């Protein structure tokens, strides 16, 4: 069986880095990571780029260390397919920008670039992503004195790279895993909706349906950070996208007729909060690798220590080894790797008409569902008894909200086993 092809759109971020490590540590026959597209979100997008380049720097050191120790190199997916890295959106489409540096630290990894500078590559690589440079000139990316062979730097905006990857691969063969605000996806789908719809499915970490939000009482961070982008991408799942599109001064409407509807699998807090990694689990799994001198174990231990301390300070009921980090983003990558597992199940109501609020004073980014027990109405015209096209059989979104996974109880352990195998 051919490896699964994926794009990861991300804002690294602590759990984003864990998600990337999970993908890149897969076997070559499991997955090809074709593109890592970066967006603002947890932190500013340039800090996201530094974190990703630092991750590749650490992975090169880790693989060299493993070779010198006579251990398997691991990271077969990375060695078999160098991903393109592209810088994307710096700001949301319409809303005021909000970051999550209160949790992730101003650099996104708990201050690691200041506390452990030997793990951060010299910034001689920055010009490789400069869009003003000649995009036809390909140079080796360098971190310090070591030629960087683990990724390909793109000078093009991330949304253009998303469209390039989708156009160069057969329709319905590339899965797009989006674990940050959906701004890059909204830009790509606005520029060329038919090319965007060549995607097999979009896997989204975002929203809260029956759970409280984590940034406001009703909104999850990614949906809140760019509610307009989320609403636009969700609208592509509708047989009639105009019925759920937010009004926008930034991007054009979609064409009246599209060739297909987008398949979107939503991983809201309802499912991601059930997948965690405790401080005790992390310490037990990483301790032998740390003692043996693993660069990756030392790097991860530094930013995870900050993470667990932050969680402990925010939640009164979490102390010591029981402190639990929710693995929101890695769950989405795990689905992309193992989508054929029968343990993955959508909610009983799927596909659901889930919409993202863009205009509310207190409800920006909220996931809205219709909980009324009402008869459906044939047709797509708005009727006097159906304000907002909620009851029309030919309107509204069609979201596959994921409800169950095959690894809920021990996912954190599985994650670390795969990274350090």
């Amino acid at each position: 069986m051919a490896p699964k092809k994926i794009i990861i759109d991300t804002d690294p971020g602590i759990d984003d880095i864990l998600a990337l490590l999970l993908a890149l540590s897969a076997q070559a026959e499991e997955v090809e990571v074709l593109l890592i597209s970066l967006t603002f979100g947890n932190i500013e997008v340039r800090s996201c780029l530094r974190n990703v380049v630092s991750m590749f720097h650490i992975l090169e050191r880790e693989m060299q260390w493993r070779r010198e120790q006579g251990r398997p190199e691991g990271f077969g997916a990375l060695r078999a397919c160098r991903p393109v890295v592209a810088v994307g959106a710096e700001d949301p489409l319409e809303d005021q920008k909000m970051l999550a540096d209160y949790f992730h630290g101003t650099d996104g990894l708990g201050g690691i670039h200041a506390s452990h500078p030997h793990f951060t590559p010299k910034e001689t690589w920055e010009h490789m992503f400069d869009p003003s440079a000649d995009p036809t000139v390909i140079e080796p990316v360098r971190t310090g004195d070591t030629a960087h062979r683990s990724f390909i730097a793109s000078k093009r905006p991330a949304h253009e790279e998303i469209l390039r990857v989708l156009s160069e691969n057969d329709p319905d063969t590339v899965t797009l895993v989006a674990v940050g605000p959906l701004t890059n996806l909204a830009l790509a789908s606005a520029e060329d909706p038919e090319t965007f719809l060549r995607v097999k499915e979009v896997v989204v970490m975002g929203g809260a349906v029956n759970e409280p939000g984590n940034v406001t009482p009703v909104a999850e961070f990614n949906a809140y950070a760019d509610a307009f982008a989320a609403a636009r991408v969700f609208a592509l799942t509708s047989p009639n996208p105009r019925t759920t599109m937010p009004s926008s001064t930034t991007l054009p409407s979609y064409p009246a007729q599209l060739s297909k509807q987008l398949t979107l699998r939503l991983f809201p807090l309802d499912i991601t909060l059930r997948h965690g990694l405790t401080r005790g689990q992390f310490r037990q799994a990483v301790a032998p690798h740390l003692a043996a001198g693993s660069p990756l174990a030392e790097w991860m231990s530094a930013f995870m220590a900050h993470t667990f301390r932050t969680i402990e300070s925010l939640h009164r009921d979490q102390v010591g080894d029981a402190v639990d980090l929710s693995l929101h983003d890695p769950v989405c990558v795990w689905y992309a790797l193992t989508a054929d597992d029968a343990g993955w199940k959508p909610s009983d109501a799927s596909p659901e008409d889930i919409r993202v609020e863009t205009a509310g004073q207190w409800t920006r980014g909220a996931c809205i569902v219709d909980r009324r027990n009402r008869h459906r109405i044939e047709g797509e015209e708005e009727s006097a008894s159906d304000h907002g096209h909620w009851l029309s059989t030919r309107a509204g979104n069609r979201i596959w909200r994921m409800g169950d996974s095959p690894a809920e109880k021990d996912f954190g352990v599985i994650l670390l086993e795969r990274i350090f195998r």
Side-chain angles (χ1 to χ4, degrees):
M1 184 179 294
K4 298 177 173 69
K5 298 179 180 182
I6 67 172
I7 296 168
I8 302 178
D9 190 78
T10 178
D11 57 336
I14 289 158
D15 57 329
D16 303 73
I17 288 291
L18 295 178
L20 290 169
L21 291 172
L22 176 61
L24 297 172
S25 65
Q27 304 285 359
E29 59 271 19
E30 287 183 291
V31 69
E32 292 180 1
V33 182
L34 302 178
L35 170 65
I36 298 171
S37 55
L38 302 176
T39 177
F40 82 95
N42 291 319
I43 48 174
E44 300 285 358
V45 72
R46 301 307 295 189
S47 294
C48 293
L49 177 60
R50 179 168 64 164
N51 291 344
V52 166
V53 173
S54 296
M55 177 192 71
F56 283 114
H57 175 65
I58 293 298
L59 290 180
E60 287 187 346
R61 291 179 56 180
E62 175 73 8
M63 289 186 286
Q64 180 181 349
W65 175 80
R66 291 184 186 186
R67 288 193 298 270
E68 292 171 351
Q69 295 289 315
R71 301 172 181 232
E73 283 183 79
F75 298 94
L78 174 59
R79 289 185 286 114
C81 177
R82 288 191 304 160
V84 173
V85 175
V87 181
E90 297 181 2
D91 299 288
L93 297 180
E94 307 270 350
D95 298 314
Q96 182 179 359
K97 181 159 63 176
M98 173 186 172
L99 304 175
D101 49 8
Y102 66 91
F103 182 84
H104 295 269
T106 55
D107 68 355
L109 292 177
I112 196 169
H113 300 296
S115 63
H116 296 70
H118 60 291
F119 281 141
T120 303
K122 296 177 182 178
E123 296 186 358
T124 55
W125 45 266
E126 285 192 318
H127 73 286
M128 298 300 300
F129 297 89
D130 183 358
S132 65
D134 185 350
T136 64
V137 177
I138 299 176
E139 307 171 54
V141 181
R142 296 186 177 275
T143 55
D145 299 324
T146 305
H148 210 307
R149 302 183 179 89
S150 295
F151 67 89
I152 300 167
S154 173
K155 297 178 175 67
R156 301 171 68 180
H159 74 277
E160 292 183 7
E161 285 290 358
I162 290 172
L163 292 173
R164 179 193 62 79
V165 171
L166 294 175
S167 67
E168 292 178 358
N169 288 272
D170 291 338
D172 300 317
T173 60
V174 178
T175 295
L176 204 171
V177 182
V179 294
L182 297 184
T183 317
N184 287 336
L185 280 68
L187 293 169
S189 60
E191 181 169 314
D192 190 343
E194 288 296 345
T195 295
F196 187 78
L197 289 173
R198 291 168 65 92
V199 71
K200 179 179 179 181
E201 60 184 7
V202 173
V203 178
V204 172
M205 192 282 122
V209 179
N210 297 313
E211 286 283 333
N214 62 1
V215 68
T216 74
V218 294
E220 175 275 333
F221 175 81
N222 288 339
Y224 183 92
D226 197 340
F228 278 87
R232 286 184 63 95
V233 174
F234 281 31
L236 284 171
T237 70
S238 174
N240 190 352
R242 70 175 180 82
T243 62
T244 62
M245 279 278 285
S247 59
S248 173
T249 60
T250 306
L251 297 178
S253 298
Y254 298 127
Q257 296 294 324
L258 292 170
S259 62
K260 60 181 288 191
Q261 295 166 230
L262 177 69
T263 299
L264 189 150
R265 298 195 181 273
L266 184 66
F267 284 74
L269 295 180
D270 307 60
I271 182 171
T272 62
L273 285 171
R274 305 201 306 263
H275 296 75
L277 173 64
T278 68
R279 180 188 266 155
Q281 288 174 324
F282 179 81
R283 182 178 294 145
Q284 183 176 359
V286 174
H289 305 285
L290 190 62
S294 160
L296 179 59
E298 185 180 351
W299 185 63
M300 289 179 63
S301 295
F303 68 74
M304 290 294 284
H306 167 272
T307 304
F308 289 125
R309 286 196 302 270
T310 301
I311 296 170
E312 200 166 23
S313 70
L314 292 173
H315 299 278
R316 291 186 219 170
D317 58 343
Q318 295 202 31
V319 294
D321 280 354
V323 175
D324 192 7
L325 170 67
S326 295
L327 299 172
H328 306 290
D329 298 344
V331 174
C332 296
V333 167
W334 184 237
Y335 168 79
L337 297 177
T338 64
D340 298 331
D341 192 310
W344 292 109
K345 295 178 182 177
S347 69
D348 292 339
S350 289
E352 297 176 75
D353 185 1
I354 301 175
R355 310 184 194 183
V356 178
E357 175 59 58
T358 60
Q361 179 180 3
W362 308 116
T363 55
R364 165 182 159 185
C367 283
I368 308 300
V369 297
D370 189 352
R371 304 184 192 278
R372 300 172 297 174
N373 186 18
R374 297 281 296 275
H375 288 296
R376 306 292 287 173
I377 299 174
E378 290 296 327
E380 58 187 40
E381 295 301 319
E382 190 170 38
S383 73
S385 62
D386 182 27
H387 298 290
H389 299 281
W390 286 98
L391 302 176
S392 170
T393 58
R394 283 182 275 176
N397 295 332
R398 306 288 190 271
I399 306 294
W400 293 91
R401 176 167 64 92
M402 302 306 292
D404 294 300
S405 88
E408 184 173 316
K409 293 182 179 179
D410 52 1
F411 177 59
V413 174
I414 293 172
L415 171 77
L416 294 175
E417 286 178 348
R418 288 177 70 93
I419 292 173
F420 287 101
R421 64 184 174 186

